[in-house]
Amino acid sequence: MRKGGEMREEDNEGVVMANDFFWSYTDEPHASRRRQILSQYPQIKELFGPDPFAFFKIAVVVSLQLCTAIILHDAGWLKMLSIAYFFGSFLNHNLFLAIHELSHNLAFSTPVYNRWLGIFANLPIGVPMSITFQKYHLEHHRFQGVDGIDMDVPSCTEAHFVTNTISKAIWVIFQLFFYALRPLFLKPKPPGYWEFINLAIQVALDGILLNFWGWKSFAYLILSTFVGGGMHPMAGHFISEHYVFNPEQETYSYYGPLNLMTWCVGYHNEHHDFPRIPGNKLHKVKEIASEYYEGLDSYKSWSQVIYMYIMDRSIGPFSRMKRKLSKKSA
């Protein structure tokens, strides 16, 4: 944990992991902070709107990853796994976070164009998820931490099974599966027209790869997605964003170099405060309204966050803030 730029070392001896979530009896902090900041710095509204370079950046990464998959069609499995972890994982996680950006309509002013671009960005990930992700992610913003609605929060089942260092390490390795499957079990939504389009286009791309270049090209994409979402530096943001290391704070930012590869998702307090500002401008929010963010705990290493999560005996899936649905939010 970082506060004021200094590392906080704690003795874990005798510490017992919590057996329930942190419960808040107030609204999530971002809406009120947004109002305060805008009243003091109305010029921040000038940062609202799409990133004009989003399409180009996504097209480059999609093209590079698909070309890599084709090149590796006859590679050995060890070579493929190595390239998937040290190269492809960064590309696919970049695309996952591009889809996150597109879920907020931050590439085009017209929402439907963002949906189409999200489906395109989805292609190297190997499994259709862009449209479904948007449905659940927007609820995460509107109902942050709300019991039974915010599917970003681990389930009680996960929390009861993940209770020690070994189980936490296993959970981290497979956290992408928990992240993807949790809402389908706890709060399933009927698929709509756009989900079927997402599915059809993804299956078509996967079928073309399998037919013309074989299983290894397809396996490379799936491996890149899997390892990039597990014990991987970029996957540290899954934990850093909202896992409570300080009971007084429920959202945390990361100000390290990997923001350059992750659409600046590390600026997470700034993102929740202003979800209409694209990632490449979130640093300006911190610069303009610095007094609102400098006193908050933040990180400079996602790898360190993963290490702390696994090794700190007091931290686990229960280390999340939850609240009941308020009448104002309903």
Side-chain angles (χ1 to χ4, degrees), residues 260-274:
L260 295 173
M261 303 180 68
T262 57
W263 299 81
C264 293
V265 74
Y267 287 82
H268 215 66
N269 267 300
E270 296 84 348
H271 168 63
H272 271 264
D273 289 350
F274 298 99

Side-chain angles (χ1 to χ4, degrees), residues 192-302:
Y193 175 75
W194 280 99
E195 277 93 346
F196 288 112
I197 293 177
N198 193 177
L199 174 64
I201 292 175
Q202 188 65 55
V203 169
L205 183 278
D206 294 345
I208 290 170
L209 276 177
L210 289 167
N211 184 60
F212 289 99
W213 291 283
W215 280 98
K216 288 189 176 180
S217 291
F218 177 67
Y220 165 76
L221 296 181
I222 298 299
L223 280 171
S224 295
T225 299
F226 171 67
V227 298
M231 198 75 74
H232 189 279
M234 288 175 75
H237 77 89
F238 288 126
I239 297 171
S240 74
E241 292 167 355
H242 297 291
Y243 278 79
V244 176
F245 286 80
N246 170 6
E248 302 301 317
Q249 186 175 327
E250 62 181 290
T251 304
Y252 303 78
S253 289
Y254 156 84
Y255 300 125
L258 286 177
N259 274 315
L260 295 173
M261 303 180 68
T262 57
W263 299 81
C264 293
V265 74
Y267 287 82
H268 215 66
N269 267 300
E270 296 84 348
H271 168 63
H272 271 264
D273 289 350
F274 298 99
R276 293 172 61 190
I277 296 178
N280 66 338
K281 294 181 180 178
L282 287 173
H283 69 281
K284 295 182 179 180
V285 174
K286 186 173 183 288
E287 292 170 4
I288 294 170
S290 59
E291 68 271 26
Y292 287 91
Y293 299 104
E294 288 178 350
L296 298 176
D297 287 356
S298 61
Y299 305 104
K300 289 191 175 179
S301 170
W302 276 330

Side-chain angles (χ1 to χ4, degrees), residues 19-325:
N19 57 10
D20 194 8
F21 296 100
F22 292 89
W23 286 91
S24 172
Y25 300 96
T26 62
D27 290 335
E28 54 85 12
H30 302 289
S32 59
R33 187 160 61 219
R34 181 186 311 121
R35 289 191 293 269
Q36 292 172 13
I37 292 175
L38 286 177
S39 67
Q40 189 172 352
Y41 302 105
Q43 67 268 33
I44 282 181
K45 289 184 178 180
E46 297 174 8
L47 303 176
F48 290 7
D51 174 0
F53 301 104
F55 174 80
F56 173 75
K57 290 186 283 189
I58 291 170
V60 168
V61 176
V62 168
S63 301
L64 182 58
Q65 183 68 321
L66 292 180
C67 287
T68 304
I70 291 170
I71 291 170
L72 293 176
H73 73 278
D74 60 354
W77 287 104
L78 181 59
K79 178 180 180 181
M80 180 190 301
L81 181 59
S82 299
I83 294 175
Y85 188 86
F86 293 105
F87 180 70
S89 58
F90 289 90
L91 298 184
N92 273 13
H93 209 101
N94 173 278
L95 291 172
F96 174 80
L97 292 170
I99 289 169
H100 165 264
E101 192 89 342
L102 294 167
S103 73
H104 293 285
N105 296 320
L106 291 175
F108 302 105
S109 298
T110 305
V112 69
Y113 297 159
N114 291 279
R115 288 189 176 186
W116 281 116
L117 186 55
I119 291 171
F120 175 68
N122 196 156
L123 292 176
I125 292 174
V127 292
M129 49 73 64
S130 175
I131 302 300
T132 302
F133 172 82
Q134 182 182 33
K135 285 184 175 182
Y136 289 103
H137 183 68
L138 295 181
E139 288 186 340
H140 164 62
H141 274 264
R142 184 181 176 188
F143 303 103
Q144 180 176 314
V146 174
D147 189 30
I149 297 180
D150 184 0
M151 291 294 105
D152 191 71
V153 179
S155 66
C156 288
T157 302
E158 292 170 66
H160 284 302
F161 278 98
V162 180
T163 57
N164 55 50
T165 300
I166 294 174
S167 58
K168 283 194 287 184
I170 295 171
W171 184 90
V172 168
I173 292 171
F174 292 98
Q175 67 178 320
L176 196 60
F177 288 98
F178 291 108
Y179 190 85
L181 297 177
R182 185 186 304 134
L184 303 182
F185 284 96
L186 299 183
K187 195 172 184 286
K189 296 177 181 290
Y193 175 75
W194 280 99
E195 277 93 346
F196 288 112
I197 293 177
N198 193 177
L199 174 64
I201 292 175
Q202 188 65 55
V203 169
L205 183 278
D206 294 345
I208 290 170
L209 276 177
L210 289 167
N211 184 60
F212 289 99
W213 291 283
W215 280 98
K216 288 189 176 180
S217 291
F218 177 67
Y220 165 76
L221 296 181
I222 298 299
L223 280 171
S224 295
T225 299
F226 171 67
V227 298
M231 198 75 74
H232 189 279
M234 288 175 75
H237 77 89
F238 288 126
I239 297 171
S240 74
E241 292 167 355
H242 297 291
Y243 278 79
V244 176
F245 286 80
N246 170 6
E248 302 301 317
Q249 186 175 327
E250 62 181 290
T251 304
Y252 303 78
S253 289
Y254 156 84
Y255 300 125
L258 286 177
N259 274 315
L260 295 173
M261 303 180 68
T262 57
W263 299 81
C264 293
V265 74
Y267 287 82
H268 215 66
N269 267 300
E270 296 84 348
H271 168 63
H272 271 264
D273 289 350
F274 298 99
R276 293 172 61 190
I277 296 178
N280 66 338
K281 294 181 180 178
L282 287 173
H283 69 281
K284 295 182 179 180
V285 174
K286 186 173 183 288
E287 292 170 4
I288 294 170
S290 59
E291 68 271 26
Y292 287 91
Y293 299 104
E294 288 178 350
L296 298 176
D297 287 356
S298 61
Y299 305 104
K300 289 191 175 179
S301 170
W302 276 330
S303 297
Q304 183 188 34
V305 171
I306 294 174
Y307 176 82
M308 291 192 302
Y309 176 80
I310 293 173
M311 301 305 296
D312 190 328
R313 299 178 190 176
S314 68
I315 303 297
F318 273 132
S319 300
R320 290 293 298 264
M321 193 73 70
K322 293 186 80 171
R323 52 179 50 85
K324 298 295 183 181
L325 180 64

